[in-house]
Every structure is written in structure tokens, then in C-alpha cells.
């Protein structure tokens, strides 16, 4: 590996950190944000640091960069787990679902499904705050209501239709508010049940993270002993995570890129914008050459970015057009878990060693799905009655990840998938697995913060309808900027969004 000479901007960041006062650094992909954090840890020598991320993959990857420093890499949840999560034991392993909620709390009436679904989704939002009670501000509306609320009478062109639809919409609005008035108290009841120590009621991981943050932990106390905090990918921090870091007396160094914010659906707040801290810039991207930068800049321009990627003239890269994964490709980046599994199957057919992120979840899904299919729901689906119940739950926001799984099982069958996943390697296990695989199959979400010599983007990232939204554009920008030397893809962003594909 060539020796790295820090730029003046990067040195400035390391020097600022030595003064032990918090700052934020907002910069585009590959400009050395994470590397500068590792240099800060090196520069602060014996001081005990904490590198925080909210995603297991990022924490595992970061171990490599921080080896030899006195800085520990942890996820927020793992930090909270010992003191607050452990006590919930096996209550953490079961998925809550609409059918179970309906039965347990005796939810009836025509809208029982929507009421239970809204209660679960709103509870999820509430758990990412430290508010005392569930209230209207935590409402996560069912899709049906979102469509109705988005209706604006002023913009409708056809007056006759307008009058008719206004009446219909007024009625539907009333129904939505009725659903809300039942869903929020139900969310509160679910929360109370989760918190009851003697209950066997399932608990979600966000519950103990919330309890941890609400306990106002002092990360500098002898229990933790940290002297500074490094917060990577801060553009995706949610309210709870920011509450934890901003309450500390320790210096916190935040780095992030607003254009890589890909968790706003989950309540992420762009810490880079909201924190009132001194800013230190970074302007040159070191990861790739001009070709990859030009390609990614098309997306940045569509996002209205003030800045475009700048690269070193000496850096070489190329963008290839290919619908299939070119031989020798190091990483296949997909939109959904389902596409990750397809990419894994393709790689295994080629006879190469494939690493997958989130493999534990994939395997446990398949195991639990099979027993549910056989009429013995267990594990995470212990509270479901049947595969139909799973399908129903997949229609809610909190069950949306199930949908890709169910499609996948429908396409390949659980047997084929289970055999293939048995041959794949688990990238979340430890950093050495990354080295021992010839190819990694990951989602763009899991690939955040990482880089690979050659990257192939699956077609799923180029859905023209989805790319109308900014979050999806940001996800594509994240995916493209993982490539160091070769970026291959079947389509280009401009073709797809301008409808020329
Ligand atoms: N001064 C430098 N000289 C040479 N290479 C560098 C320099 N700074 C960073 N790099 C390299 O550039 C690449 C990108 O760095 P890094 O991953 O830290 O960027 P980042 O800003 O964190 O990216 P992302 O936004 O994707 O998280 C890494 O391979 C890193 O080693
Ligand atoms: Mg980074």
C-alpha cells in the first residue's frame, strides 16, 4: 500500500482534534473523512477513544482502520446492550406483528389491521425519542392515509372530479383520524407491556437504546472511561443518537456527507446541518479517478449539490457498461436484500467464494420461514400464525423488509436459498472474512463508508420511478462512489432518469 501523505486540510482536522474541542466535517465521498478520524485516533495516542456507528458492517470494517490505536469501534446498540439490553434476553428475538397485536389486545372492527399496523409503526418512531408518552407527533400513517393527506384540492385541474373527490377524501380523512385515535393509545399499551419486567412480551432493540440514552450515561465515567468520541456517517444519525453524543462533556468529532443520507425514512436527522460547531472542510476525493467522479457527479448535480467531486489527476478509474457482473469484480452492490441473495447465487454458480453482509439475518429468516410454512411458527415468527400472516405484516412499514424475502422465497424456493446461503460467508463476523472472499454481495446501505477496487451495480438501483425521489438518488450516489478503479453498470443515471434507456 502506498504511503499516505495527509493534505493540509486533513492535517488541520487532526490538529483541531488535538485541542480536544468538538467539530464537524462535512465533505463528499472518498475525501478522507474516515481516514482522518483514524489519524485523529493515532494522533491522540494513549487517549481512550470511541468510534461510533449505527451499522454493524461499518463498525467491523472500521476495526481494520483503527487497529493499533486506542480507539474502540462500537455500534450504538452494542454500547447500550450490556447495561440495558441483556436483561430482555430472548424477548429480543421475536418480531412483533399485526396479527399478534390484534389478538393480544383484542383489536376489532373494520380497520383492525390498519389500527394495529399504525400502532406498531408509530411505536417505532416514539422509541427513537425519549418522550414520555406516545402522542400525535409520533404518528406514522398507513400508506392509504398518506395518499389522502397528499391530496391538495388547489392543484386538481378537473373541477367536477374535484368536487366528487373532495367529498370522498373528506370521508376518508375522517376514517384516518379515527384510525389514529385508536392506534396511538394502542402503541402506548404495547410500550407499557414491553417495559414490564415480568412480561414475556417481545422487545425491539430500539427500546434498550432509548432506555440507555434516557439514563443520561456519562461516557467519560469510570464505567466507560472514554476521552473522546468519533462519529462517522453523522448525516444519518437519528434524534436518539444525537441526544447521546451532544449530552457528553467529551469532545465529539462528527464527519458526514449530507448527500449520503440514506436513512431519513427511519428518522435520521442530518447532524451536519443541525449541530452548531466549527466546520473544517475537505475538498479532494482520493478514492477514484475522473471517470467515476464524472459519473457520480451526474447524480450530485441532480441533487442540487453545491459541490462536485474533485479528484487527483494521477488517479485512474473507468466506468464500464455491462448488464452482467464482469469476471473478477470484487463487490456487487444491490438495492435490496433479495438482489443480494441473487448476486450471491450467481457468484456461487461461478464457483467463487462469496461474502454476504447480514447473513445471520438471512439464515434465521429462512429457518423461521420454513418452520412457519410447516405450521410450526418459531424464532422471529413465533408470534405469527401462518405464511399468510407474514404476508399481511409485510404490507406495514415495520414489516416492509419482509416483502423482499417473501418475493425471493417465491422465486427460488426456501430449499435452494438455504443451501446457497450455507455456502456463503458472513461478512459481519469479523474483518478477516472480507479478505478471504473473492466477491462480496451487499446492499448499498451496508456498503456505506466502504470502498472496493471494482464494483458492479445491480439494475435494482436504477428504478426510474424510485429515482424521482432524492433519498434514492443519494443511495445511488453512495453505491457509485464505493468504486476505486472500475465501476460497471448496465445503465447510466442520466439515461434512466431522462427515459432514454
Ligand atoms: N491524503 C491522502 N492521500 C492518499 N490517499 C488518501 C488520502 N486521504 C484519504 N485517502 C484514501 O482515500 C480513500 C477514501 O478515504 P475515506 O474512506 O477516509 O473517505 P471518506 O470521506 O470517509 O469516504 P465516504 O464518504 O465514502 O465514507 C481511502 O482509500 C483513503 O486511504
Ligand atoms: Mg467514510
Amino acid at each position: 500500500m502506498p504511503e499516505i501523505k495527509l493534505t493540509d486540510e486533513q492535517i488541520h482536522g487532526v490538529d483541531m482534534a488535538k485541542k480536544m474541542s468538538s467539530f464537524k466535517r462535512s465533505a463528499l465521498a472518498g475525501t478522507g473523512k474516515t481516514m482522518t478520524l483514524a489519524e485523529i485516533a493515532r494522533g491522540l495516542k494513549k487517549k481512550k477513544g470511541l468510534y461510533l456507528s449505527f451499522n454493524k458492517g461499518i463498525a467491523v470494517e472500521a476495526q481494520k482502520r483503527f487497529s493499533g490505536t486506542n480507539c474502540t469501534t462500537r455500534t450504538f446498540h452494542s454500547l447500550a446492550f450490556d447495561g440495558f439490553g441483556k436483561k430482555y434476553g430472548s424477548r429480543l428475538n421475536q418480531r412483533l406483528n399485526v396479527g399478534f397485536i390484534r389478538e393480544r389486545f383484542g383489536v376489532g372492527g373494520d380497520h383492525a389491521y390498519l389500527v394495529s399496523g399504525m400502532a406498531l409503526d408509530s411505536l417505532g418512531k416514539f422509541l427513537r425519542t425519549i418522550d414520555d408518552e406516545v402522542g400525535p407527533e409520533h404518528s406514522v400513517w398507513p400508506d392509504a392515509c398518506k395518499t389522502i393527506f397528499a391530496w391538495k384540492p388547489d392543484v386538481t385541474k378537473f373541477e367536477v372530479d374535484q368536487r366528487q373527490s373532495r367529498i370522498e377524501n373528506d370521508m376518508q380523512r375522517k376514517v384516518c383520524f379515527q384510525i389514529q385515535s385508536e392506534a396511538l393509545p394502542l402503541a402506548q399499551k404495547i410500550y407499557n407491556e414491553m417495559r414490564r419486567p415480568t412480561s414475556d412480551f417481545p422487545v425491539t432493540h430500539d427500546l434498550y437504546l432509548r432506555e440507555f440514552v434516557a439514563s443520561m450515561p456519562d461516557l467519560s465515567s469510570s464505567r466507560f472511561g472514554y476521552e473522546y468520541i468519533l462519529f462517522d456517517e453523522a448525516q444519518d444519525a437519528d434524534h436518539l443518537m444525537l441526544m447521546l453524543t451532544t449530552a457528553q462533556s467529551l469532545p465529539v468529532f462528527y464527519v458526514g456527507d449530507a448527500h449520503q443520507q440514506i436513512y431519513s425514512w427511519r428518522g435520521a436527522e442530518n447532524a451536519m446541518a443541525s449541530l452548531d460547531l466549527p466546520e473544517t472542510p475537505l475538498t479532494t476525493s482520493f478514492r477514484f479517478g475522473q471517470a467515476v467522479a464524472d459519473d457520480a457527479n451526474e447524480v450530485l448535480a441532480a441533487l442540487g449539490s453545491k459541490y462536485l467531486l474533485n479528484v487527483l489527476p494521477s488517479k485512474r478509474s473507468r466506468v464500464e457498461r455491462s448488464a452482467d457482473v464482469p469476471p473478477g469484480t470484487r463487490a456487487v452492490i444491490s438495492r435490496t436484500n433479495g438482489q443480494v441473495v441473487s448476486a450471491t447465487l450467481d457468484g456461487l454458480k461461478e464457483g467463487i467464494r462469496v461474502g454476504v453482509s447480514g447473513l445471520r439475518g438471512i439464515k434465521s429468516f429462512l429457518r423461521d420461514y420454513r418452520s412457519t410454512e410447516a405450521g410450526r411458527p418459531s424464532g422471529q415468527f413465533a408470534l405469527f400464525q401462518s405464511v399468510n400472516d407474514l404476508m399481511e405484516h409485510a404490507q406495514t412499514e415495520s414489516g416492509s423488509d419482509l416483502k423482499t424475502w417473501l418475493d425471493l422465497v417465491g422465486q427460488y424456493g426456501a430449499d435452494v436459498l438455504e443451501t446457497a446461503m450455507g455456502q456463503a460467508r458472513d461478512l459481519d463476523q469479523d474483518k478477516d472474512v472480507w479478505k478471504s472472499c473473492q466477491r462480496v454481495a451487499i446492499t448499498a446501505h451496508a456498503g456505506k463508508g466502504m470502498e472496493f477496487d471494482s464494483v458492479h451495480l445491480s439494475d435494482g438501483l436504477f428504478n426510474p420511478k424510485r429515482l424521482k425521489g432524492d433519498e434514492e438518488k443519494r443511495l445511488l450516489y453512495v453505491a457509485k462512489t464505493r468504486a476505486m478503479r472500475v465501476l460497471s453498470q448496465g445503465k447510466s443515471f442520466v439515461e434512466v432518469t431522462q427515459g432514454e434507456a
Side-chain angles (χ1 to χ4, degrees):
M1 203 167 117
E3 202 188 314
I4 289 181
K5 190 170 169 300
L6 297 191
T7 63
D8 288 349
E9 287 172 336
Q10 291 172 335
I11 292 170
H12 177 62
V14 176
D15 288 346
M16 285 269 292
K18 283 186 183 152
K19 293 185 192 145
M20 297 298 272
S21 88
S22 301
F23 67 77
K24 64 178 178 181
R25 159 163 281 184
S26 180
L28 295 174
T31 49
K33 296 184 293 296
T34 307
M35 199 208 63
T36 313
L37 290 183
E39 288 307 315
I40 288 175
R42 234 155 250 130
L44 294 178
K45 298 192 173 114
K46 291 221 160 64
K47 286 200 189 309
K48 190 176 166 194
L50 172 66
Y51 171 96
L52 274 176
S53 76
F54 48 87
N55 159 334
K56 178 92 190 286
I58 294 178
V60 170
E61 256 289 290
Q63 278 173 19
K64 262 196 298 205
R65 299 200 182 192
F66 286 82
S67 70
T69 71
N70 198 22
C71 183
T72 320
T73 61
R74 303 282 298 264
T75 62
F76 280 89
H77 284 96
S78 81
L79 193 65
F81 185 77
D82 283 350
F84 290 79
K86 234 183 205 160
K87 63 177 185 282
Y88 292 115
S90 62
R91 291 175 64 190
L92 282 164
N93 299 335
Q94 295 163 351
R95 266 179 200 252
L96 273 171
N97 70 88
V98 185
F100 172 75
I101 295 294
R102 260 186 342 212
E103 209 169 293
R104 176 89 174 223
F105 294 96
V107 187
D110 288 351
H111 303 296
Y113 167 76
L114 291 175
V115 168
S116 314
M118 183 170 179
L120 272 184
D121 294 341
S122 303
L123 177 68
K125 187 166 179 189
F126 165 75
L127 288 178
R128 289 191 291 274
T129 70
I130 56 160
D131 298 343
D132 291 334
E133 285 184 358
V134 180
E137 65 279 23
H138 307 116
S139 301
V140 177
W141 294 97
D143 281 346
C145 295
K146 276 189 219 153
T147 319
I148 291 161
F149 291 144
W151 180 76
K152 293 190 188 76
D154 306 345
V155 295
T156 311
K157 284 199 198 94
F158 310 103
E159 292 214 356
V160 181
D161 291 353
Q162 188 185 334
R163 229 169 288 141
Q164 181 57 29
S165 61
R166 190 196 300 264
I167 296 164
E168 282 167 12
N169 275 286
D170 280 352
M171 276 162 40
Q172 287 163 333
R173 254 168 207 270
K174 264 196 204 134
V175 173
C176 288
F177 285 118
Q178 177 62 32
I179 291 169
Q180 183 197 35
S181 71
E182 293 174 41
L184 298 181
L186 178 58
Q188 181 72 46
K189 271 194 207 160
I190 303 173
Y191 171 64
N192 296 344
E193 195 54 36
M194 270 191 186
R195 294 196 58 201
R196 207 159 55 78
T198 53
S199 172
D200 59 353
F201 199 84
V203 159
T204 58
H205 290 267
D206 282 340
L207 179 78
Y208 65 78
L209 180 55
R210 172 190 150 97
E211 290 178 346
F212 175 63
V213 175
S215 75
M216 310 276 272
D218 176 0
L219 298 178
S220 67
S221 66
S222 56
R223 193 174 140 225
F224 296 100
Y226 294 117
E227 291 168 272
Y228 65 93
I229 297 172
L230 305 175
F231 195 155
D232 206 353
E233 308 281 351
Q235 76 280 352
D236 271 320
D238 68 24
H239 187 66
L240 213 54
M241 296 165 184
L242 282 183
M243 283 198 61
L244 176 68
T245 55
T246 52
Q248 303 302 315
S249 52
L250 299 172
V252 187
F253 310 122
Y254 297 87
V255 299
D257 173 358
H259 299 299
Q260 294 189 56
Q261 189 182 358
I262 53 178
Y263 283 99
S264 46
W265 53 273
R266 220 191 52 175
E269 290 180 10
N270 177 15
M272 304 320 294
S274 62
L275 293 171
D276 184 20
L277 288 172
E279 244 186 289
T280 75
L282 286 176
T283 48
T284 306
S285 206
F286 293 90
R287 181 169 294 147
F288 35 70
Q290 197 62 49
V292 170
D294 287 345
D295 192 75
N297 279 340
E298 288 177 351
V299 189
L300 279 178
L303 281 165
S305 172
K306 220 159 81 180
Y307 303 102
L308 293 180
L309 287 159
N310 234 331
V311 297
L312 295 175
S314 57
K315 258 298 192 264
R316 296 264 169 260
S317 65
R318 68 172 192 274
V319 178
E320 280 181 4
R321 181 61 69 95
S322 169
D324 300 321
V325 184
T329 297
R330 172 74 177 135
V332 180
I333 302 185
S334 300
R335 174 67 184 84
T336 62
N337 281 327
Q339 291 151 12
V340 166
V341 177
S342 305
T344 309
L345 292 172
D346 291 345
L348 292 170
K349 270 187 229 149
E350 274 181 51
I352 56 177
R353 285 187 304 280
V354 185
V356 181
S357 66
L359 187 63
R360 240 183 92 208
I362 296 175
K363 284 185 175 170
S364 88
F365 166 82
L366 289 170
R367 201 178 42 240
D368 298 340
Y369 175 86
R370 281 162 71 91
S371 52
T372 309
E373 201 180 27
R376 295 184 310 276
S378 66
Q380 59 183 310
F381 303 139
L383 306 176
F384 290 73
Q385 305 275 332
S386 62
V387 169
N388 272 349
D389 231 19
L390 287 185
M391 288 180 175
E392 190 181 62
H393 186 59
Q395 305 305 319
T396 63
E397 193 140 322
S398 43
S400 58
D401 62 319
L402 272 182
K403 198 173 171 314
T404 28
W405 289 120
L406 297 172
D407 291 348
L408 202 68
V409 175
Q411 192 182 343
Y412 292 97
D415 282 350
V416 172
L417 296 180
E418 219 165 26
T419 311
M421 292 304 122
Q423 291 164 12
R425 324 247 159 144
D426 185 356
L427 294 176
D428 298 328
Q429 220 168 42
D430 71 77
K431 58 186 193 309
D432 294 332
V433 181
W434 288 85
K435 276 193 241 144
S436 68
C437 296
Q438 288 152 294
R439 181 170 301 159
V440 298
I442 55 175
T443 58
H445 283 99
K448 216 160 127 67
M450 296 179 188
E451 59 186 17
F452 309 96
D453 181 62
S454 48
V455 167
H456 177 77
L457 301 188
S458 87
D459 272 359
L461 285 159
F462 292 90
N463 180 323
K465 223 166 113 197
R466 282 202 184 140
L467 279 173
K468 287 200 173 110
D470 282 355
E471 180 106 341
E472 207 66 22
K473 290 191 189 88
R474 292 195 291 264
L475 198 58
L476 185 61
Y477 162 65
V478 169
K480 284 175 184 282
T481 52
R482 301 308 98 200
M484 297 166 81
R485 202 175 47 83
V486 186
L487 172 64
S488 102
Q489 52 200 4
K491 303 173 176 182
S492 89
F493 169 73
V494 169
E495 277 170 349
V496 171
T497 47
Q498 294 180 357
E500 291 161 21

